[in-house]
Amino acid sequence: MKYKIIEPQHYQQIQARYHINSLLAKVIESRQYDEKTLKEMMNPRLIYHDFSLFSEAQMTLERIHEAIENNEKICIYGDYDCDGILATSILVEAFRQLGIEVGYHIPSRLQDGYGLNVTRVEQMAAKGYSLIITVDNGIKANEAIDLANELGIDVIVTDHHSHDDNLPNAFSIIHTAISPDYPY
């Protein structure tokens, strides 16, 4: 498969004009959308915010880059619902497009219950994973994340579900409600 590399030159103007993140501005520039299409896309119900607004964004990215540079084994731990499956497939494909093979797991509602659990953490440790990235779960997986820490596995939680004040002791947490600068 051949890829066409596009290097946007004016995306900052689009970003400033429409108050959108840089990735979306680059896509808009590369697609050369007309004004009518842009206005339809900028529907107030479709809000895109910059990843850097998450309070732990930088440390999350640094940990992922470290894992890649050190050829660590990474596992994406999804959820069995539609947004969890989609988020898992997007993240796995993003890594693959970077040339990085990652493991992934979509839990069974009946066998695993909801979210990251102790049994699966033990299995991932036995397989040599050193980084787990949850998608659409993990905000309440305190016991499983504590075990992961004991086993030398870092966990990055990406979730949007309700949580209480007892957040897990994860390496980092990407969650809209716990990042004061992220519009929630």
Side-chain angles (χ1 to χ4, degrees):
M1 173 182 276
K2 294 231 178 203
Y3 291 96
K4 179 181 176 186
I5 298 174
I6 300 170
E7 295 185 31
Q9 304 296 314
H10 308 287
Y11 72 92
Q12 289 100 344
Q13 290 92 339
I14 296 169
Q15 185 177 4
R17 181 175 180 187
Y18 294 102
H19 306 287
I20 57 176
N21 68 55
S22 59
L23 178 60
L24 182 57
K26 289 175 183 177
V27 169
I28 288 170
E29 182 181 342
S30 69
R31 300 271 171 95
Q32 299 178 338
Y33 290 123
D34 61 24
E35 192 67 26
K36 180 179 181 245
T37 304
L38 284 175
K39 284 183 180 178
E40 289 172 2
M41 287 179 66
M42 297 300 122
N43 181 323
R45 296 182 321 173
L46 301 175
I47 300 171
Y48 305 94
H49 300 293
D50 198 296
F51 182 75
S52 66
L53 295 174
F54 287 109
S55 59
E56 297 186 353
Q58 188 61 37
M59 66 188 295
T60 299
L61 293 175
E62 288 172 4
R63 180 61 183 97
I64 292 169
H65 285 280
E66 178 186 326
I68 291 168
E69 289 172 10
N70 295 329
N71 293 316
E72 295 179 44
K73 289 183 74 173
I74 302 169
C75 186
I76 312 303
Y77 193 91
D79 191 19
Y80 46 72
D81 63 5
C82 60
D83 58 328
I85 293 169
L86 181 60
T88 302
S89 63
I90 289 170
L91 197 52
V92 169
E93 182 59 24
F95 276 106
R96 285 185 178 159
Q97 287 192 15
L98 292 171
I100 300 153
E101 289 298 318
V102 296
Y104 63 91
H105 181 75
I106 301 291
S108 163
R109 180 187 304 241
L110 299 176
Q111 292 176 341
D112 295 310
Y114 172 75
L116 186 63
N117 65 61
V118 169
T119 301
R120 295 298 180 195
V121 168
E122 290 170 341
Q123 290 171 345
M124 287 182 269
K127 292 180 179 182
Y129 288 104
S130 58
L131 179 60
I132 299 170
I133 303 173
T134 72
V135 288
D136 194 36
N137 73 89
I139 199 68
K140 293 183 179 181
N142 297 54
E143 183 181 4
I145 292 173
D146 286 344
L147 176 61
N149 291 334
E150 289 174 25
L151 297 173
I153 302 171
D154 286 335
V155 179
I156 295 171
V157 172
T158 67
D159 202 347
H160 67 99
H161 293 98
S162 298
H163 64 88
D164 52 29
D165 291 334
N166 186 24
L167 295 173
N169 189 23
F171 179 85
S172 64
I173 300 174
I174 301 298
H175 191 293
T176 56
I178 63 172
S179 294
D181 293 335
Y182 196 91
Y184 181 68

